Amino acid sequence: MKTSLKAAALVCLSLLMPFSHAERIKDLASIAGVRNNQLLGYGLVVGLDGSGDQTTQTPFTVQSVISMLQQLGVNLPQGGSQLQLKNVAAVMVTATLPPFAQPGQQLDITVSSMGNAKSLRGGTLLMTPLKGADGQVYGMAQGNVLVGGVGVQAGGGGGGGSSLTVNHLSVGKISGGATVERAVATNLGEGNMIKLELNSADFATASRVVEAINDKYGAGIAYALDSRVIRVQAPSSSDQRVTFIGTLQDMNVNPAEQPAKVIMNARTGSVVMNRAVTLETCAISHGNLSVSVNADTQVSQPNALSGGRTVVTQNPQVGIKADSGKVMMVKGGASLAEVVKALNAIGATPQDLLSILQAMKAAGSLRAELEII
């Protein structure tokens, strides 16, 4: 019996002890200068089955078609702006250029309708230049658009009838639909130095990363500039530097425990608390007050041949119901499990938690940062 009690006590203590786990440096930090770049382009999708832009409402589609045909040597007569096109849609093309991408590599692209096209299903994107923030062309996109949806419409003309749409039809993707035309110069460090940038600024985590690197490679190899940036001495040779960074990113570090925080979503009533949230000694009272308003309709019917008229009257009835309130005592230093257990014990709903936690924060009983999103 004593043995089982000791074992149970050890299990409880292990659950209450702070839990720390090691994470790879590549999950905690990124290399300065190694980043993605966004690309954007404007193009045309053709070959639609009558589901393209209504050109009377999207004049830019007609202008784009006329400009494209002129570049191909096709001159339209006067009044070409009155073209009635049904199989063409103006689209925006977006892509992400990864670091170290070289000319000739392929990128996945997303094609999004910017007019009033009903569907891009079955369309073909014409050659579209993709530009970066500096206005330079870094890729060219073209290909058949894949739309993960279907639309069905039945009924007569004139916009009548019923319709059924599954998923989104005005956005599609093209796997490998863009080709890189220009490489982005990546400055990987200055001289023989590289910089690690923590995903979340934390002095304790930065200190632990520096300590782990210096323990493995020697004192003075790494030092922290601030709570986010860590400077590391790396080999000058590009081949040795790549090997060094790969080994560096696979190192395990125990990050510092995150500060106590409570996240509340006022729109959905969601409340998320991390394990560091604790409470000071406080008493929580919870009670519900229900107010109902009903209208009792009564009809007054006059006697026959009396010359009167029927009168309808409304008799409002107001009812108030107060559920029995409960007061729960929470001892100081309570853990997250005890906080949740106490709030559930008094029957608090997610919406009630919003008000309860705000009140506890105002009273100084909630030892955590309260963030409302």
Side-chain angles (χ1 to χ4, degrees):
M1 180 63 69
K2 292 183 178 180
T3 304
S4 60
L5 290 176
K6 291 181 179 180
L10 290 175
V11 172
C12 293
L13 289 175
S14 64
L15 292 175
L16 293 176
M17 291 177 60
F19 176 73
S20 178
H21 62 280
E23 295 186 24
R24 297 177 302 175
I25 291 182
K26 69 170 56 178
D27 298 324
L28 296 174
S30 59
I31 307 296
V34 181
R35 47 160 291 180
N36 295 325
N37 291 277
Q38 282 68 43
L39 303 180
L40 178 67
Y42 170 81
L44 293 173
V45 171
V46 299
L48 302 176
D49 188 13
S51 60
D53 292 338
Q54 298 179 8
T55 52
T56 55
Q57 301 177 5
T58 56
F60 51 85
T61 304
V62 177
Q63 294 175 8
S64 301
V65 171
I66 294 176
S67 176
M68 179 194 66
L69 292 178
Q70 288 177 349
Q71 294 179 9
L72 295 177
V74 179
N75 295 322
L76 296 177
Q78 295 294 332
S81 59
Q82 302 300 323
L83 293 176
Q84 298 297 320
L85 306 174
K86 296 183 179 180
N87 300 336
V88 182
V91 295
M92 298 302 296
V93 184
T94 56
T96 300
L97 184 66
F100 309 114
Q102 297 298 316
Q105 293 183 357
Q106 293 184 331
L107 306 175
D108 295 341
I109 61 175
T110 301
V111 182
S112 306
S113 172
M114 61 178 300
N116 53 11
K118 298 179 181 179
S119 173
L120 299 180
R121 188 178 182 87
T124 300
L125 174 69
L126 300 181
M127 187 169 58
T128 302
L130 300 178
K131 298 182 179 180
D134 57 357
Q136 300 293 326
V137 176
Y138 289 90
M140 298 296 294
Q142 183 170 283
N144 298 324
V145 181
L146 177 62
V147 176
V150 63
V152 179
Q153 182 174 356
S162 59
S163 63
L164 173 64
T165 302
V166 179
N167 294 336
H168 207 61
L169 302 178
S170 57
V171 177
K173 294 185 69 68
I174 305 178
S175 299
T179 304
V180 178
E181 300 293 338
R182 183 195 301 261
V184 177
T186 302
N187 184 18
L188 186 59
E190 301 173 359
N192 62 341
M193 291 289 183
I194 62 172
K195 290 181 179 179
L196 294 177
E197 297 179 348
L198 296 179
N199 299 330
S200 299
D202 188 279
F203 286 102
T205 301
S207 176
R208 294 183 183 184
V209 172
V210 171
E211 183 180 358
I213 296 175
N214 290 336
D215 287 345
K216 182 172 183 178
Y217 293 102
I221 296 296
Y223 59 94
L225 299 180
D226 49 41
S227 63
R228 183 182 293 271
V229 182
I230 301 169
R231 209 166 191 178
V232 182
Q233 184 177 353
S236 300
S237 171
S238 60
D239 182 58
Q240 294 178 356
R241 175 175 294 190
V242 170
T243 303
F244 173 77
I245 293 176
T247 305
L248 184 68
Q249 288 186 322
D250 283 337
M251 291 179 57
N252 291 325
V253 176
N254 291 323
E257 188 174 358
Q258 294 297 316
K261 180 176 287 190
V262 178
I263 308 295
M264 300 191 304
N265 191 324
R267 294 181 295 275
T268 62
S270 304
V271 179
V272 179
M273 297 177 281
N274 62 12
R275 63 179 304 275
V277 177
T278 57
L279 292 180
E280 295 289 352
T281 301
C282 63
I284 304 173
S285 177
H286 175 69
N288 291 328
L289 181 66
S290 302
V291 179
S292 60
V293 179
N294 297 322
D296 184 15
T297 303
Q298 295 182 353
V299 179
S300 177
Q301 183 71 28
N303 296 327
L305 304 177
S306 63
R309 60 177 182 174
T310 302
V311 178
V312 179
T313 59
Q314 299 284 347
N315 296 325
Q317 297 178 353
V318 180
I320 301 177
K321 179 183 179 183
D323 295 337
S324 58
K326 297 180 181 180
V327 179
M328 177 66 63
M329 176 63 71
V330 180
K331 297 182 179 180
S335 65
L336 173 60
E338 294 170 337
V339 173
V340 175
K341 181 179 179 180
L343 294 177
N344 287 334
I346 61 176
T349 65
Q351 291 294 340
D352 296 330
L353 284 177
L354 299 177
S355 300
I356 292 174
L357 291 175
Q358 282 182 322
M360 291 195 306
K361 180 65 175 179
S365 299
L366 180 62
R367 302 184 61 181
E369 179 185 350
L370 193 59
E371 181 178 346
I372 302 177
I373 60 176

